[in-house]
Amino acid sequence: MIVTFFASHFGVAMAMRYALAKSLIDIPNARSSHKMPTPRGGGVGVVLGFIAVGVIVAALYPQDSLFYVGYISALIVAAVGWLDDRRSLSALTRLGTHTFAAVLVIFAADGLAQIHVGEFVLSLGMPGALCVVLWLVWSTNLFNFMDGSDGLAAQQGIFVLFTMGLMNLGSGNSELAMLMLGTAAALGAFVRWNWAPAKIFMGDVGSGFLGFLLVALAVLGEYRGAMGLAMGLLLNVLFVVDATGTLLRRIFNRENIVVAHRKHLYQRMIQVGLTHGQVAAGAIAINVLFVLPVAVVAYLVPVLMPWILLGMYIGVSAAWYWGSQICVTRLATNSQQESIA
């Protein structure tokens, strides 16, 4: 973790210099949550930290072919994200690459024929493998959608990776635990640059990589007998509900889902007056005070996992809907007051 922290810190500093030299700058527009032009591509530092911990794990576990496939697939996603930050690749190119990387992970896990939800074992076969591929691709893009507020995506990655890292360490999956904890430390270095007011953004090289990595490591943990996918879904509930709920609502309203927008709950919270720092701090508080204790109970008492997972998603979805309605109402009221003024 010490090695990856400093490797990431160095990588972000170099990414900052490169972005300024090559004019890789996010310019605010009508759909932005920021007001100042800001360099992007700082996720290169996180990827550099991931590479550093990968070298260490490879030296300690040279015969672990499962590790190499997961490691390389994550770097493929990072590479296409880096190219996209520089020259805006087509959506088809990005989607094809993400799908290819997801298939590699499923292939390494022998199709992931079984998924553990606590003490329940689901044997889904090929349909299950296809669903996990779709989940890998969605998670890759999900973090891209949610990386629109200073420190938000980074803190979520730290929370999920650090918690799952400790759980995998307790389950004996040392190499996966090292990858998770090392990447969490790399994100910790990045947060110094990305906390409000952000000096640099993560960019697709970081957000897509992070979203893919969280599920890829969960898949490999699942293959090793850990409660990987279910626990990953539980720990990442805030991002999954906000991104998925917003997408479904836009589809229901017949909106063009490929057009950028500012309708995620975290974006609406900023629009009604909260700062980027307050939004990220609120997510940290919910994760630590609410999600973490529930996840620990599910880890210690696996038989409760299905009901905990179901209850968590129902509860957070209800809170998301309620919060969204409050924000929409307040925005409408503010708009009317401005019109009158």
Side-chain angles (χ1 to χ4, degrees):
M1 291 178 72
I2 293 173
V3 169
T4 56
F5 180 90
F6 285 104
S8 177
H9 194 282
F10 171 78
V12 177
M14 293 300 100
M16 172 77 82
R17 294 181 61 181
Y18 181 82
L20 293 174
K22 299 295 184 179
S23 298
L24 299 178
I25 308 295
D26 265 353
I27 306 298
N29 55 45
R31 296 184 177 90
S32 300
S33 297
H34 297 83
K35 298 180 179 180
M36 297 294 295
T38 306
R40 66 177 183 270
V44 165
V46 180
V47 176
L48 186 60
F50 177 75
I51 291 173
V53 71
V55 171
I56 296 171
V57 173
L60 294 174
Y61 302 93
Q63 305 301 322
D64 191 347
S65 60
L66 189 68
F67 154 75
Y68 288 107
V69 175
Y71 185 69
I72 292 171
S73 62
L75 291 181
I76 290 173
V77 174
V80 77
W82 181 76
L83 290 173
D84 190 47
D85 284 332
R86 298 178 69 232
R87 59 187 67 177
S88 296
L89 301 176
S90 69
L92 185 60
T93 299
R94 297 195 305 270
L95 182 62
T97 306
H98 298 162
T99 304
F100 172 73
V103 171
L104 280 181
V105 173
I106 297 301
F107 178 78
D110 290 337
L112 201 68
Q114 294 182 336
I115 297 175
H116 297 79
V117 184
E119 294 185 348
F120 295 91
V121 180
L122 303 177
S123 299
L124 302 176
M126 183 60 71
L130 292 175
C131 288
V132 177
V133 168
L134 291 175
W135 179 241
L136 276 160
V137 174
W138 171 232
S139 180
T140 304
N141 291 277
L142 179 154
F143 260 80
N144 190 15
F145 299 151
M146 297 297 292
D147 183 29
S149 180
D150 300 345
L152 185 63
Q155 69 79 28
Q156 186 73 8
I158 291 171
F159 171 71
V160 176
L161 286 170
F162 187 79
T163 305
M164 289 191 69
L166 292 180
M167 290 179 176
N168 273 273
L169 199 61
S171 301
N173 297 318
S174 301
E175 63 274 44
L176 293 179
M178 291 176 67
L179 283 174
M180 292 174 179
L181 295 174
T183 308
L187 284 166
F190 172 75
V191 164
R192 175 185 177 275
W193 302 81
N194 188 238
W195 194 259
K199 300 177 181 66
I200 190 169
F201 295 155
M202 188 178 291
D204 286 354
V205 63
S207 60
F209 162 80
L210 183 57
F212 180 88
L213 184 67
L214 292 182
V215 180
L217 293 179
V219 168
L220 300 183
E222 187 78 38
Y223 182 66
R224 290 283 172 82
M227 198 164 41
L229 283 173
M231 186 59 69
L233 277 172
L234 180 58
L235 293 171
N236 203 27
V237 61
L238 291 186
F239 270 34
V240 173
V241 168
D242 195 2
T244 307
T246 302
L247 177 65
L248 292 176
R249 183 171 57 194
R250 295 188 71 210
I251 293 173
F252 180 78
N253 292 334
R254 298 182 179 180
E255 299 178 27
N256 187 348
I257 62 173
V258 300
V259 175
H261 64 93
R262 292 198 302 165
K263 295 185 178 180
H264 291 287
L265 177 57
Y266 78 91
Q267 293 170 320
R268 294 191 186 280
M269 293 170 70
I270 293 171
Q271 293 168 37
V272 299
L274 294 181
T275 67
H276 289 264
Q278 288 172 334
V279 171
I284 292 172
I286 294 172
N287 279 332
V288 172
L289 300 178
F290 180 56
V291 179
L292 180 60
V294 173
V296 170
V297 171
Y299 177 75
L300 296 176
V301 191
V303 70
L304 297 178
M305 171 56 94
W307 312 112
I308 287 176
L309 192 61
L310 178 62
M312 177 68 79
Y313 269 83
I314 291 175
V316 173
S317 296
W320 170 83
Y321 179 80
W322 176 68
S324 297
Q325 292 301 108
I326 290 176
C327 289
V328 169
T329 302
R330 185 168 297 181
L331 285 170
T333 301
N334 292 344
S335 179
Q336 290 176 354
Q337 291 174 345
E338 290 175 0
S339 298
I340 294 172

